[in-house]
Amino acid sequence: SYSVGYTHSENAGGEHRHIVNASLGYQVNPGTRVWLDGFTDIGAGRNMGVHAGLTMTLGDNRNLSTGASYGNDGFSLESSISKSAEQEPHSWGYAASLGKTRDGARRYAGASHYGERASTVGSVRSSRDSIALEGSVEGSVALLNGEVELLNRIDDSFLVVDAGSPGVRVYRENQLVGRTGKNGKLFVGGVRAY
């Protein structure tokens, strides 16, 4: 695939930008793609950039990506690997990347977990002179017939399974979504309302 574009803009100070961009991508095989893209400001000639890279699908929601860029800020490299957590209980995801710019190395590592009661995400990011730790927990509280349940995030709808016994496995679309609790019930989130 390929594309070519042109953008003209003018800011409040009357400065004009004439940006031309082009991209070229090639699907090597069903799981591998290479690309090259770039831009330049042909009016002022001050800004330009070129980026080339490779992305591979490794299966099981895993991806590998590597790329190189050159522009007004100099040359940079970055490689990453990731796996997406699926929206089913006990699914794990991760991401890690390593990059190099003229300002030094950049590193990132993160993990995510999709549980029955909450989704959690944690990461650490570092560069030449800083380290950042981030984390979050996300979920919902449902109240139905006087019973309070902690659930994973509810984007659309949820349902209540009443099996009448504790410990009963509950499946949705042939995927285990959980087991009934002491009261014989299980709240299931992520259900489409239609």
Side-chain angles (χ1 to χ4, degrees):
S1 65
Y2 62 91
S3 68
V4 177
Y6 169 77
T7 303
H8 172 253
S9 66
E10 180 180 357
N11 66 17
E15 185 178 18
H16 290 266
R17 300 273 185 203
H18 299 273
I19 300 171
V20 174
N21 64 294
S23 66
L24 175 65
Y26 179 71
Q27 194 78 31
V28 177
N29 60 45
T32 307
R33 181 171 176 78
V34 294
W35 74 90
L36 172 67
D37 57 46
F39 74 92
T40 186
D41 185 342
I42 59 174
R46 290 184 298 239
N47 294 318
M48 60 82 59
V50 178
H51 184 224
L54 166 77
T55 299
M56 296 176 65
T57 301
L58 304 175
D60 192 31
N61 288 330
R62 293 177 301 143
N63 294 293
L64 176 69
S65 179
T66 188
S69 298
Y70 179 77
N72 291 10
D73 292 334
F75 185 73
S76 66
L77 293 169
E78 182 146 359
S79 293
S80 65
I81 187 166
S82 63
K83 178 187 181 299
S84 300
E86 297 180 35
Q87 288 195 351
E88 34 185 80
H90 312 295
S91 176
W92 285 89
Y94 60 83
S97 68
L98 179 61
K100 176 79 172 136
T101 68
R102 71 178 182 183
D103 294 331
R106 294 183 312 222
R107 294 170 284 286
Y108 172 86
S112 60
H113 179 259
Y114 189 88
E116 290 181 28
R117 308 248 183 248
S119 295
T120 55
V121 178
S123 66
V124 60
R125 179 183 324 265
S126 71
S127 61
R128 179 175 53 154
D129 55 358
S130 68
I131 294 177
L133 299 171
E134 298 177 352
S136 67
V137 177
E138 183 178 74
S140 302
V141 178
L143 177 63
L144 184 63
N145 294 331
E147 294 184 36
V148 176
E149 288 287 333
L150 299 177
L151 302 170
N152 214 314
R153 181 175 156 171
I154 300 173
D155 290 316
D156 195 353
S157 297
F158 66 93
L159 58 90
V160 179
V161 176
D162 187 349
S165 298
V168 175
R169 291 181 182 160
V170 177
Y171 293 85
R172 182 181 69 206
E173 298 176 5
N174 294 324
Q175 298 292 318
L176 180 67
V177 293
R179 293 177 185 248
T180 57
K182 293 177 185 177
N183 62 1
K185 296 179 182 178
L186 176 68
F187 284 69
V188 181
V191 179
R192 282 181 241 122
Y194 47 90

